[in-house]
């Protein structure tokens, strides 16, 4: 069943207000950056963004319909999920207004999350920034990496290896932005020889 005009309006308003919430949380992180996260006055959980407890925000507004007005009120949740039974499942953050209404979703490949040498730091500000992209674009997003051969020795002279590119894209693989890149040693799938990042399984995702 197609959503009604009112349902479409509610979804749009919730995403817009949730985006404002993400900006506010980023401002909070910056404002309290000098304090340790476990300090008593810090407004965010000490383990954010990897907290098992969701963040909540009450959102309410009044919509005018000609000479009448209607009040709307929702509680929006931001949650973190990681399937610990599957070592290669991505880390997932969602913003939702109910169990079935997902407003924004961000995924990070597990090998990036657990790589201590990754040039992309997965912290609170990063997750909030990526969620902001998801809310404004109204699509789920995923941070992953791909490896290409070092075909430009003028940029990477005297370096032997491949180039790992970290990219944020939609789940349909439409590129949103490139986040970083680095030189990595040669490593390839044991089945099809596709180039692989320096950490992770010995095969590509197609052969997991």
């Amino acid at each position: 069943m197609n959503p009604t005009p009112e349902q479409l309006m509610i979804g749009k308003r919730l995403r817009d207000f949730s985006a404002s919430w993400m900006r506010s949380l980023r401002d909070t992180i910056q404002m309290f950056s000098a304090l340790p996260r476990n300090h008593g006055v810090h407004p965010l959980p000490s383990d954010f963004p990897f907290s098992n407890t969701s963040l909540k925000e009450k959102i309410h507004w009044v919509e005018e319909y000609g000479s009448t007005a209607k009040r709307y009120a929702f509680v929006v949740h931001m949650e973190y999920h990681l399937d610990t039974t599957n070592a290669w499942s991505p880390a997932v953050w969602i913003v939702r207004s109910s169990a079935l209404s997902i407003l924004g979703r961000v995924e990070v490949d597990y090998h990036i999350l657990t790589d201590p040498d990754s040039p992309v730091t997965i912290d609170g500000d990063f997750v909030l920034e990526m969620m902001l992209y998801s809310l404004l674009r109204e699509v789920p997003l995923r941070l992953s990496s791909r490896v290409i051969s070092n075909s430009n020795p003028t940029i990477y002279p005297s370096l032997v290896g491949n180039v790992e590119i970290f990219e944020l894209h939609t789940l349909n693989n439409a590129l949103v932005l490139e986040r970083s890149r680095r030189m990595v040693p040669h490593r390839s799938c044991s089945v099809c020889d596709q180039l692989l990042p320096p950490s992770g399984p010995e095969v590509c995702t197609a052969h997991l």
Side-chain angles (χ1 to χ4, degrees):
M1 181 180 296
N2 292 329
T4 65
E6 183 183 33
Q7 289 171 332
L8 291 173
M9 178 276 296
I10 291 173
K12 179 67 167 59
R13 294 284 188 272
L14 285 175
R15 287 187 181 91
D16 289 345
F17 283 119
S18 295
S20 296
W21 181 33
M22 297 299 105
R23 295 187 186 98
S24 176
L25 289 174
R26 293 188 73 191
D27 290 342
T28 297
I29 289 177
Q30 184 175 3
M31 184 182 306
F32 288 87
S33 59
L35 288 178
R37 189 62 66 81
N38 59 359
H39 194 284
V41 301
H42 202 292
L44 290 173
S46 59
D47 53 354
F48 180 79
F50 306 104
S51 175
N52 291 324
T53 303
S54 69
L55 300 181
K56 299 179 183 180
E57 178 77 352
K58 294 180 180 179
I59 293 177
H60 51 85
W61 75 94
V62 174
E63 199 76 24
E64 295 185 355
Y65 297 94
S67 59
T68 63
K70 184 175 180 179
R71 180 179 177 85
Y72 295 88
F74 296 86
V75 177
V76 173
H77 305 256
M78 183 176 184
E79 299 172 343
Y80 167 65
H81 300 275
L82 180 64
D83 183 0
T84 57
T85 65
N86 183 348
W88 305 115
S89 292
V92 178
W93 289 264
I94 63 170
V95 170
R96 63 174 180 84
S97 61
S98 69
L100 299 177
S101 180
I102 306 299
L103 303 171
R105 179 185 176 100
V106 172
E107 301 180 2
V108 175
D109 277 2
Y110 186 79
H111 80 271
I112 298 175
L113 185 72
T114 57
D115 183 354
D117 299 318
S118 171
V120 180
T121 302
I122 311 301
D123 58 12
D125 187 68
F126 170 84
V127 171
L128 293 171
E129 180 186 2
M130 298 302 102
M131 185 61 75
L132 190 56
Y133 280 119
S134 176
L135 290 165
L136 295 177
R137 290 173 175 265
E138 301 184 11
V139 291
L141 298 177
R142 184 166 188 164
L143 179 74
S144 63
S145 72
R146 59 187 177 93
V147 180
I148 62 174
S149 61
N150 178 19
S151 59
N152 198 334
T154 60
I155 297 179
Y156 302 104
S158 72
L159 291 177
V160 178
N162 300 317
V163 181
E164 184 178 14
I165 305 172
F166 295 80
E167 297 171 327
L168 185 71
H169 54 81
T170 69
L171 300 190
N172 293 326
N173 286 322
L175 179 64
V176 175
L177 60 86
E178 178 183 320
R179 191 73 185 191
S180 186
R181 58 176 60 196
R182 66 175 173 179
M183 292 296 300
V184 293
H186 182 81
R187 188 166 173 262
S188 61
C189 173
S190 59
V191 177
C192 67
D193 291 330
Q194 177 178 321
L195 297 178
L196 297 175
S199 62
E202 298 298 322
V203 294
C204 65
T205 54
H207 294 109
L208 280 176

